[in-house]
Amino acid sequence: MTGASPQAVAEAADVLRRGGLVMMPTETVYGLAADASNPAAVAAVFEAKGRPMFNPLIAHVADLTAAHKLVAMDAWAMVLAKAFWPGPLTIVAPAERECPVCDLARAGLDSVAVRAPAHPVALALLKAFGGPICAPSANRSGRPSPTSLAAAMEETGLAVQAALDGGPCAVGVESTVVSVLDGPLRLLRPGGVSRERIEALVGRLTEADDDAKRSPGRLTRHYAPQAPLRLNAEAPLPGEAYLAFGPWPNLPGVINLSPTADLSEAAQRLFAALRQADSANPRGIAVAPIPHRGLGEAINDRLKRAAGFIG
Ligand code: TXA
Ligand code: MG
């Protein structure tokens, strides 16, 4: 079943209730969705992705009221949620005692990462289902995240009993993950809401370098295509595909992330461009320098990890 009609959404909610998996669009990337309270369903997510079990999943909620049932939202968490939800911001906060998100989804941690996605189909599914939905990006572990239903189905489609088509993802990189656990707010993963926008509200965010244990997913090579990546390349070498940024001749093998050097557009196109470049089996993929401001921080983070340079 593919589509996003009210009937398709209702059927997908039933699949979740029965412990099945659903391909769910969000504004960032497609997610592989399961009932967050069902350990067997969550185990199937880890298995389909080949994801290490120590890497916890994000619990998606419809709104702030639903978030309160999962985590203790302190004043900072409330400021962030009110400013950026629904939207590409994930908040890591202490789990409530009655939190329904199962241990496996939390990887045994006493915190939960929560986010309300800004996608009408995801919100409709959350409302129809009525509980938290955990959904990691639908790629197999280590691969680029899918930003279209077709790409998502290529990655982990065999594991789902329903797929909802939400069109191409508007943001294109995953949510920003901020921890409000003990002390200063920490940026665990740059993403769809820029650091500048968050810092304008809450002041300086601490770096996450000392926090690898708390966000275990940040440790491994990630987002990687088959071909080796060469970053900060002013031009391609013979045999290389090239991801350009800004004005560039439209030659074969060149994919332009944004001819007008718009970082939002580049973020939106990033993962699809990596997939497209890879599909021609190039010697390598060279990527133009991307400015490190706004969404550029998230883009450079993904590129560095895709190239195998951690941290
Ligand atoms: O945009 C997104 O966030 C997408 C869409 C589908 O919502 N989801 C996504 O999920 O990117 P995933 O599983 O690929 O990434 C979740 C990140 C991982 O880096 C994980 O380690 C971190 O969130 N995380 C989850 N729970 C955490 C927790 N309790 N403490 C710290 N980090 C956590
Ligand atoms: Mg992921």
Side-chain angles (χ1 to χ4, degrees), residues 49 51 137 139 145 174 189 222-223:
K49 281 183 60 78
R51 176 167 172 132
S137 49
N139 52 288
S145 300
E174 299 84 347
R189 176 176 77 181
H222 214 141
Y223 314 110

Side-chain angles (χ1 to χ4, degrees), residues 28 51 55-56 58 60 111 115 136-137 174-175 189 214-215 217:
T28 58
R51 176 167 172 132
N55 189 5
I58 293 172
H60 296 72
S111 59
R115 126 168 158 91
S137 49
E174 299 84 347
S175 60
R189 176 176 77 181
R214 280 250 165 207
S215 200

